[in-house]
């Protein structure tokens, strides 16, 4: 019978002395001081009896944090053994120290996460020894590699070998486990052949070593007579085996954990199993029932959530008062903005240090972008937790990889060039990029083409032009390096030739306290080492090979741990899972939405790895998933000492608040929460006071107080306020010498709405490259190459070319990418069946033109030109699903410009007289072929088109940019700054002061009111 004792409320050092001898399992809820108790035991065990100890935990972040606290608290200089390590670090020490006793020819090489994925993919592509049966068509896909790599690690964590897997197949397990067992065997053989080991296999091999070699077990126990284990509820079978071997060899084990806090069940941990493991170890059980972190509403909420799971959590009492708040916002951007603002207010108004605050997100990959941008906008410093992301996610490393991506795939220029220009490699600021975009628009070039123009034609100052030229030169060199050099040598050349890195080194040397520069250098150093290890394991590996495997995002095994930044005052930005073991004063759990927290869509997968832990019926499986998500929610809810805030918002008008919010015991807001109006800056405070001053509905006393406060605020000058300014005048006209250079698409925008043309084409505010545009460009390319014979005849070759060029990363989600993938396949099928023969007889494809109209220049491109009777037909592909009517086609300005170009452009005129202009819709079949709507020119069509164009061109050149109340505004992105819409009516401010408010000679305001 296992005895149980309740520890009193006392300092950790006193509690350590109260623990019974022998093996002990410490059970405690969130914030009860379990980690502090283990840390208090460590110095005595290391320096006292001389028998030694090892302190094990589950994550690198926790190991770093505990080690720093132990070393900071130690007064002894002999602190070599005083620290905390992960289970993998402990196992690696055993395996590498005794590699001669294992089947290795030297020290084994530990694979990082991407390298393990790469090995699985290599074995799959070799297609030797494994009969995948009906799964064979999927073997070459990345998704299959993803799932199989996960399945291999899942088996290793649970100590399931190939034979065990086959036995489970015989007992009714999934049929896919049979070839999976054969692959697991081949995978193990390849690891042995290459003297390599993956992260999960490391623990299994350490266990084999202790079990098979008694001398190693005895020596390990002699060095570490006591094993301290934190987060013991997360132990998987491989770790439990190691622990039981150490205990069986004579070591004492002290485990601490929360039996209701298991969040790593997907890695093999068993929820609620910790008390049972205490019985297996013959350990005494002690309970810590006083929370040093939680109290009041916060503690009540956590206990209510734990009880909803159906298990009895460890009893917990709190002496603090942790506040709980729930807020709702209209959309994700509003939510991120409110979160950032609330943190800034807490810092400035309440005096909470930024380092004592955290934002927890259900998934960093999906939601971190808006939050980071909002934090930067409000000037809130933030940091990502150590081990929270891969090395390749570090901005400075990502920029280097983007350089290589563009060097290998120039077709991604529209996507990557803007990012590189504003990166350290390009060195441009946002305003300089905006100026460059505007110059590109006025030159009627894409930004990617514009940066390749001569420096004198870039339309920017010499300094910016020099940096653009430097980036283009570096990109050209990178294009040669990626073809000629190994991956690590490619990076070395960029390091040597990029001026940005020279400046980075100088900045770090000049200011050692510059944490940003130091982190960038640390990241680049770790990246260089990662590349060297990658090439060492794959001699001759190219940068293309590295990029192919490094984007495997589900692993975090890169040799990278960002420098500890606890000394810096910055908000922690973490995933919910990464917050384990952390504590903050203020915690915001954002994105509490059904589908995110809890996740409601769990793909079953081909290998059904979840069945490795037991074959649950559908109801039990759904219950287990929901309970796991609730434990994840509890983890986030229990990190705050003073205030926990839960936020949610609808995504595109859809979504419901997390069901767990209803279990907090607080009322959920029915309407979006009002934003906090607390001014953050002097100018913001002045603006609020001015609104009070001019509000005639306010009490006179309020307005007088506002006026008095404004008068007392230093640095305010009423003469600079917006209503005192007249319109600015641009000394440089948009159309030099009255000659406008534009394209048919932009002048078509001008015809719909003059102001939209100004915002998008003159001010350069529309720099978006949509996924619809990328998809349309892809379909145009495939159609053209196939018609020219550059793609072999036959549907399979057509699909292969499409598959090679299609990139799911263009799209906002996998679901959207899948839909467009299917649409493209349908278009190709129809094109091959009904359009191929006609396309092969086409006169020309992708013909550029430039024509003069009334002294203005119009450029454009016609997708395809066919022979039609004695004349020609001009075709333009539209890959969208919105179909124009015959009337709309008949009045289409685009087709009218095509007609004029066919008459005036010498190359086009040589092909014949235009008799029909067509809009062709591949996504809208009609009678077995692409749908077409046409424009047919009449006798005086050319004159009518020119008159129509002249009015538009002269208007744009004359800078007439009034909004059109009859425009098609459905898809306009400028509504927030358009005076025709309520949300934009204040953007173009009046130039007169409000009625009744005048100005005295000394510049002070006068008028009615106080």
């Amino acid at each position: 019978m296992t005895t149980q004792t309740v520890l009193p409320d006392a300092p950790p050092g006193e509690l350590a002395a109260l623990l019974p001898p022998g093996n002990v399992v410490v059970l405690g809820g969130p914030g009860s001081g379990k980690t502090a108790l283990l840390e208090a035991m460590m110095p005595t065990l290391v320096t006292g009896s001389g028998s030694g100890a090892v302190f094990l935990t589950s994550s690198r972040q926790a190991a770093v944090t505990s080690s720093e606290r132990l070393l900071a608290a130690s007064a002894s200089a002999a602190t070599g053994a005083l620290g905390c390590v992960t289970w993998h670090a402990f196992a690696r020490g055993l395996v590498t120290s005794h590699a001669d006793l294992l089947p290795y020819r030297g020290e084994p090489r530990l694979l990082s996460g991407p390298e393990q994925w790469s090995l699985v993919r290599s074995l799959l592509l070799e297609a030797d020894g494994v009969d995948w049966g009906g799964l064979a068509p999927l073997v070459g896909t990345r998704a299959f590699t993803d799932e199989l790599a996960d399945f291999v690690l899942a088996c290793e964590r649970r100590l399931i070998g190939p034979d065990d897997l086959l036995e489970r197949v015989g007992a009714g397990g999934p049929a896919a486990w049979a070839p999976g067992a054969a692959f697991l065997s081949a995978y193990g053989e390849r690891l042995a052949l290459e003297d390599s080991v993956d992260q999960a296999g490391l623990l299994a091999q350490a266990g084999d070593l202790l079990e098979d070699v008694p001398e190693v077990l005895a020596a390990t126990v002699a060095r570490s007579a006591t094993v301290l284990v934190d987060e013991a509820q997360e132990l998987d079978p491989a770790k439990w085996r190691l622990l039981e071997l150490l205990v069986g060899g004579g070591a004492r084990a002290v485990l601490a954990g929360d039996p209701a806090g298991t969040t790593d069940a997907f890695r093999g941990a068993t929820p609620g199993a910790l008390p049972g493991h205490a019985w297996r170890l013959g350990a005494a059980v002690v309970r810590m029932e006083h929370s040093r972190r939680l109290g009041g509403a916060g503690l009540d909420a956590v206990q209510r959530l734990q009880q909803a799971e159906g298990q009895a959590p460890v009893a917990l009492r709190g002496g603090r008062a942790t506040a709980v708040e729930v807020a709702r916002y209209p959309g994700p951007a509003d939510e991120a903005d409110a979160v950032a603002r609330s943190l800034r207010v807490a810092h400035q108004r309440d005096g909470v240090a930024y380092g004592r605050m955290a934002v927890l997100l259900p998934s960093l990959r999906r939601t971190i972008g808006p939050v980071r941008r909002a934090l930067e906008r409000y000037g809130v410093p933030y940091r990502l937790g150590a081990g929270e992301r891969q090395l390749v996610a570090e901005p400075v490393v990502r920029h280097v990889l983007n350089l290589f991506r563009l060097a290998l795939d120039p077709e991604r220029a529209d996507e990557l060039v803007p990012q590189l220009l504003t990166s350290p490699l390009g060195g441009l600021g946002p305003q300089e990029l905006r100026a460059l975009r505007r110059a590109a628009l006025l030159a009627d070039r894409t930004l990617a083409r514009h940066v390749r123009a001569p420096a004198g034609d870039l339309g920017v100052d010499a300094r910016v032009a020099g940096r653009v030229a430097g980036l283009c030169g570096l990109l050209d060199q990178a294009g040669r390096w990626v073809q000629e050099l190994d991956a690590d040598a490619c990076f070395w050349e960029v390091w040597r030739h990029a001026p940005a890195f020279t400046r980075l080194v100088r900045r770090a040397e000049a200011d050692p306290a510059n944490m940003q520069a130091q982190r960038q250098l640390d990241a680049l150093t770790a990246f260089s080492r990662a590349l060297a290890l990658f090439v060492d394991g794959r001699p001759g590996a190219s940068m293309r090979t590295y990029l192919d495997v490094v984007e495997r995002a589900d692993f975090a095994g890169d040799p990278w741990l960002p420098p500890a930044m606890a000394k810096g005052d910055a908000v922690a930005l973490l995933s919910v899972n990464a917050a384990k073991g952390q504590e903050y004063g203020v915690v915001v759990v954002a994105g509490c939405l059904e589908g995110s927290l809890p996740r409601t869509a769990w793909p079953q997968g081909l290998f059904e790895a979840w069945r490795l832990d037991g074959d649950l019926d559908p109801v039990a499986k759904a219950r287990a998933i929901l309970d796991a998500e609730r434990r994840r929610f509890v983890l986030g809810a229990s990190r705050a000492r003073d205030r926990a805030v839960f936020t949610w918002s609808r995504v595109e008008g859809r979504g419901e608040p997390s069901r767990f919010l209803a279990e907090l015991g607080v009322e959920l807001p029915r309407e979006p929460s009002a934003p906090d109006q607390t001014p953050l800056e002097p100018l913001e405070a002045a603006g609020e006071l001015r609104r009070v001053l001019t509000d005639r509905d306010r009490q006179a006393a309020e307005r007088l107080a506002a006026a008095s406060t404004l008068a007392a605020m230093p640095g305010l000058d009423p003469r600079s306020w917006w209503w005192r300014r007249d319109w600015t005048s641009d000394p440089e006209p948009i159309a030099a010498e009255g000659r406008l250079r534009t394209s048919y698409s932009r002048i078509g925008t001008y015809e719909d709405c003059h102001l939209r043309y100004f915002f998008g084409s003159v001010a350069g505010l529309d720099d978006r490259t949509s996924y619809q545009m990328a998809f349309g460009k892809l379909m145009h390319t495939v159609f053209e190459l196939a018609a020219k014979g550059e793609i072999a005849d036959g549907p399979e070759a057509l699909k292969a070319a499409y598959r090679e060029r299609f990139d799911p990363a263009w799209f906002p989600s996998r679901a959207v990418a899948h839909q467009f993938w299917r649409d493209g396949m349908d278009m190709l099928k129809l094109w091959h069946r009904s359009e191929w023969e006609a396309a092969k007889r086409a006169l020309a494809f992708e013909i550029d033109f430039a024509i003069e109209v009334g002294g203005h220049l119009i450029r454009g491109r016609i997708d395809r030109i066919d022979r039609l009777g004695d004349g020609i037909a001009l075709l333009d592909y539209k890959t969208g699903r919105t179909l124009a009517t015959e009337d709309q086609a008949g009045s289409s300005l685009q087709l009218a410009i095509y007609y004029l170009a066919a008459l005036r452009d010498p190359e086009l005129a040589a092909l014949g007289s235009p008799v029909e202009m067509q809009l062709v819709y591949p996504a809208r079949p009609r009678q077995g072929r692409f749908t077409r709507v046409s424009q047919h020119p009449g006798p005086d069509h050319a004159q009518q088109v020119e008159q129509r164009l002249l009015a538009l061109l002269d208007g744009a050149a004359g800078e007439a940019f009034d909004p059109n109340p009859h425009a098609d505004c459905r898809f306009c992105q400028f509504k927030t700054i358009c005076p025709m819409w309520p949300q934009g009516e204040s953007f173009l401010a009046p130039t007169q002061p409000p009625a009744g408010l005048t100005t005295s000679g000394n510049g002070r305001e006068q008028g009615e009111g106080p």
Side-chain angles (χ1 to χ4, degrees):
M1 179 85 179
T2 301
T3 60
Q4 295 198 16
T5 305
V6 177
L7 293 178
D9 179 17
E14 296 180 17
L15 294 180
L18 297 177
L19 293 181
N23 299 327
V24 180
V25 172
V26 181
L27 304 180
S32 55
K34 302 180 294 295
T35 303
L37 173 61
L38 297 180
E39 291 174 358
M41 296 178 64
M42 192 66 180
T44 302
L45 293 171
V46 170
T47 61
S49 63
S51 56
V54 61
F55 186 3
L56 301 173
T57 191
S58 57
S59 70
R60 291 182 294 174
Q61 173 67 63
V64 169
T65 303
S66 288
S67 295
E68 288 179 343
R69 285 197 295 257
L70 285 168
L71 294 173
S74 175
S76 170
T79 56
L82 192 59
C84 179
V85 297
T86 64
W87 282 90
H88 290 96
F90 175 70
R92 184 175 186 177
L94 284 174
V95 170
T96 55
S97 299
H98 304 283
D100 57 319
L101 302 177
L102 293 166
Y104 291 118
R105 290 165 293 185
E107 182 176 324
R109 179 171 176 271
L110 178 61
L111 298 182
S112 68
E115 289 173 323
Q116 187 264 353
W117 183 91
S118 177
L119 177 59
V120 171
R121 186 164 179 82
S122 298
L123 288 172
L124 285 173
L125 295 180
E126 289 174 9
D128 293 332
V130 180
D131 179 11
W132 291 104
L135 300 177
L138 304 175
V139 166
T141 65
R142 291 179 66 90
F144 189 86
T145 306
D146 288 350
E147 188 166 340
L148 185 57
D150 282 338
F151 184 71
V152 167
L153 293 176
C155 289
E156 290 180 322
R157 292 188 188 105
R158 294 162 175 81
L159 302 176
I160 297 174
D163 294 338
D164 302 316
L165 207 54
L166 286 175
E167 286 183 14
R168 296 184 180 217
V169 174
W177 288 3
F183 181 86
L184 191 59
S185 178
Y187 176 82
E189 292 172 0
R190 178 61 63 88
L191 285 177
L193 183 65
E194 296 181 354
D195 286 330
S196 300
V197 61
D198 60 31
Q199 296 278 354
L202 195 64
L203 293 166
Q205 291 190 10
D208 293 342
L209 191 65
L210 296 181
E211 187 173 33
D212 298 339
V213 186
E215 295 81 6
V216 174
L217 175 60
T220 303
V221 171
R223 288 193 308 271
S224 305
T226 302
V227 181
L228 306 179
V229 180
D230 199 10
E231 302 290 355
Q233 76 276 5
E234 307 291 5
L235 298 188
D236 57 39
K239 294 171 184 174
W240 273 114
R241 179 195 181 206
L242 262 180
L243 182 63
E244 289 179 328
L245 287 168
L246 291 170
V247 170
R252 179 197 183 202
V254 180
L255 286 68
D258 180 0
T262 304
T263 58
D264 285 350
F266 65 98
R267 290 195 174 101
T270 304
L274 194 53
H277 286 303
W279 180 82
R280 287 171 55 185
L281 294 174
V285 176
V286 300
R287 304 168 71 92
M288 303 181 71
E289 298 185 350
H290 180 82
S291 178
R292 303 168 187 274
R293 179 190 308 151
L294 296 169
L299 180 57
D300 292 343
V302 168
Q303 291 180 324
R304 190 178 289 105
L305 286 161
Q306 290 179 326
Q307 291 166 359
E309 187 178 343
Q311 295 187 15
V314 178
L316 210 58
R317 302 182 305 277
R320 301 183 57 83
T322 307
V324 177
E325 303 171 17
V326 178
R328 170 188 172 183
Y329 298 99
D334 305 276
E335 182 180 7
D337 189 85
V339 167
R341 188 178 183 88
S342 68
L343 296 177
R344 179 77 179 272
V345 169
H347 178 69
Q348 293 189 184
R349 184 185 65 193
D350 304 331
V352 182
Y354 283 127
R356 295 291 300 149
M357 295 188 276
V359 179
L360 308 184
L361 302 170
S363 169
L364 287 188
R365 190 185 307 177
R366 295 181 180 179
T367 54
I368 193 173
V371 175
R372 291 182 68 174
R373 289 190 291 271
L375 292 173
E376 290 165 1
R377 188 163 58 249
Y378 280 97
V380 176
Y382 66 90
R383 57 185 172 86
L384 292 173
E388 179 62 15
R389 60 179 178 178
Q390 288 182 284
L391 168 64
V392 294
E394 283 293 308
V396 68
V397 175
R398 188 176 67 249
H399 297 320
V400 174
L401 293 179
N402 280 343
L403 179 76
F404 291 129
R405 290 185 180 107
L406 185 53
L408 288 165
D409 188 2
E411 291 187 0
R412 297 183 64 182
D414 290 337
E415 170 197 356
L416 297 176
V417 163
Q419 300 176 35
L420 287 171
L421 285 170
T422 53
S423 74
L425 297 173
L428 301 192
Q431 292 181 338
E432 294 165 333
L433 177 61
R434 179 78 67 193
L436 192 63
R437 285 189 186 279
R438 177 176 176 178
L441 286 167
L442 294 177
D444 198 27
R445 289 191 287 254
T446 64
L447 182 64
R449 289 177 54 203
H450 188 66
V451 297
R452 291 294 186 174
D457 295 340
L458 288 178
V460 293
D461 63 56
R463 185 184 66 84
V464 174
R467 293 197 171 184
V468 171
L471 177 63
C472 291
L474 184 64
L475 182 60
D476 292 338
Q477 290 178 299
R480 294 192 298 272
W481 297 330
V482 295
Q483 301 298 330
E484 300 169 0
L485 303 176
D486 294 349
D488 55 345
C490 286
F491 172 69
W492 175 244
E493 293 298 330
V494 171
W495 173 262
R496 291 176 55 231
H497 288 85
F501 293 150
T502 303
R503 294 193 294 268
L504 176 63
V505 172
R506 290 174 182 168
R507 197 162 72 246
E509 290 175 345
D511 184 8
N514 186 331
M515 295 298 295
Q516 183 180 15
Q518 299 296 339
R519 177 165 180 150
Q520 289 178 350
L521 281 178
D522 285 337
L524 290 169
T525 302
F527 178 59
S528 176
R529 177 171 177 263
L531 283 173
L533 290 172
F534 184 80
V535 175
D536 180 58
R538 290 161 182 74
S542 66
M543 182 56 69
R544 185 183 295 276
T545 303
Y546 182 76
L547 289 174
D548 184 49
V549 304
V550 81
E551 292 174 352
R552 164 68 167 141
D554 291 345
F555 292 106
D558 289 330
W560 163 244
L561 195 67
M565 298 183 68
K567 298 177 182 178
D569 193 22
V571 172
L573 188 55
L574 309 167
S575 67
V576 172
N577 287 48
K580 185 181 301 179
Q582 303 299 307
E583 179 179 289
Y584 304 94
V586 176
V587 171
V588 179
V589 184
C592 299
L593 199 67
E594 282 290 302
S596 296
L597 190 62
R599 288 172 288 190
T600 53
W602 284 81
Q604 183 166 298
L606 295 172
F607 294 97
E608 301 178 85
W610 59 271
R611 295 178 64 178
L612 294 172
D613 296 320
D615 202 356
L616 302 176
D617 62 73
V619 174
K621 178 191 174 188
R623 177 72 183 182
I625 290 174
L626 184 61
D627 287 344
E629 288 296 286
R630 181 179 283 105
R631 291 191 294 272
R632 200 161 69 104
F633 190 84
V634 170
L635 174 63
S638 60
R639 300 303 97 192
R641 288 176 61 89
D642 303 316
R643 180 175 163 224
V645 182
F646 303 86
T647 67
W648 68 280
S649 61
R650 294 182 182 273
V651 180
E652 297 179 353
R654 297 187 297 272
E656 296 298 328
S658 169
R659 69 189 72 183
F660 301 143
L661 293 177
E663 299 174 8
L664 290 173
V666 297
E667 185 176 354
L668 302 187
R670 297 184 178 181
E671 299 295 332
S673 306
D676 191 327
Q677 298 296 333
T678 303
L680 300 176
E681 300 286 353
L683 285 178
E684 191 174 344
E688 178 62 28
L689 291 170
R690 286 164 56 194
R691 280 190 287 271
V692 172
L693 177 62
T694 57
D695 186 352
R696 299 181 186 278
D697 294 331
R698 296 266 191 168
Q699 295 292 327
E702 288 185 87
R703 298 176 69 194
L704 180 60
S708 301
T709 307
L710 278 169
M713 292 180 68
L716 293 183
D717 183 3
R719 290 171 295 186
S720 67
W721 292 352
W722 60 269
W723 54 265
R724 295 183 175 278
R725 297 187 177 184
D726 207 338
W727 295 105
T728 58
S729 59
D730 190 346
E732 297 183 8
I734 292 172
E737 299 178 357
R739 175 179 169 84
L740 186 69
R741 294 174 175 83
T742 188
S743 67
Y744 64 82
S745 61
R746 290 179 186 147
I747 202 62
T749 301
Y750 185 82
E751 183 176 45
D752 181 55
C753 179
H754 299 356
L755 185 61
R756 182 179 175 189
Y757 171 88
F758 170 78
F759 285 146
S761 298
V762 179
L765 300 181
D766 184 10
D767 56 7
R768 301 175 305 166
T769 301
S770 68
Y771 60 88
Q772 295 96 333
M773 293 168 61
F775 177 75
K777 182 178 179 181
L778 167 63
M779 299 311 299
H780 282 61
T781 301
V782 174
F783 291 157
E784 178 186 356
L785 295 178
K788 289 180 176 179
E790 297 181 26
I791 296 176
D793 192 359
E796 293 305 318
L798 202 60
K799 292 177 181 178
Y802 173 69
R803 186 179 295 110
E804 179 184 351
R805 291 167 172 80
F806 186 91
D807 186 357
W810 294 337
F811 303 91
S813 68
R814 289 185 179 181
V816 175
H818 181 66
Q819 182 60 53
F820 273 81
W821 167 265
R822 292 178 56 187
D823 289 347
M825 281 295 189
D826 291 341
M827 293 181 202
L828 294 177
K829 191 181 303 180
L830 183 60
W831 192 87
H832 183 266
R833 186 170 63 242
S834 63
E835 303 282 340
W836 186 299
E837 292 299 328
K840 287 193 294 186
R841 295 192 299 270
L843 300 177
F845 297 93
E846 300 291 332
I847 300 297
D848 293 324
F849 65 82
I851 60 172
E852 294 277 345
V853 179
H856 306 289
L857 181 67
I858 299 179
R859 294 190 181 97
R861 176 178 295 175
I862 301 174
D863 292 339
R864 179 175 136 194
I865 302 177
D866 286 356
R867 177 66 63 193
L868 186 61
D870 295 332
I872 59 174
L874 313 175
L875 281 66
D876 184 74
Y877 289 115
K878 300 291 186 184
T879 52
R881 289 186 168 274
T882 304
L883 184 67
T885 65
E886 287 289 349
D887 289 342
Q888 290 171 331
S891 62
S892 167
L893 183 63
Q894 177 184 355
L895 295 182
I897 293 175
Y898 282 3
Y899 173 75
L900 207 59
L903 296 178
R904 297 187 177 182
D905 185 276
E907 184 179 355
L908 294 175
L911 298 175
S913 177
V915 296
E916 185 176 349
M917 291 73 69
Q918 302 176 355
L919 298 177
V920 183
Y921 292 88
R924 298 295 297 268
R926 180 185 296 170
Q927 297 179 351
R929 64 190 300 238
F930 293 167
T931 295
R932 288 166 164 79
V933 290
S934 305
Q935 184 178 109
H936 300 277
D940 56 350
H941 197 56
Q943 182 180 354
Q944 294 173 358
V945 172
E946 183 163 7
Q947 290 176 349
R948 182 180 174 188
L949 276 173
L950 273 175
L952 299 173
L953 294 168
D954 289 342
E959 304 187 13
F961 299 128
D962 295 327
N964 179 9
H966 306 294
D968 181 3
C969 302
R970 288 174 299 169
F971 304 110
C972 180
Q973 66 273 29
F974 302 124
K975 294 177 185 177
T976 55
I977 55 175
C978 176
M980 302 303 297
W981 288 84
Q983 58 265 48
E985 61 185 5
S986 63
F987 179 72
L988 300 178
T991 59
Q992 298 298 322
L997 191 62
T998 60
T999 308
S1000 66
N1002 60 8
R1004 292 190 177 274
E1005 299 170 346
Q1006 293 180 340
E1008 299 180 16

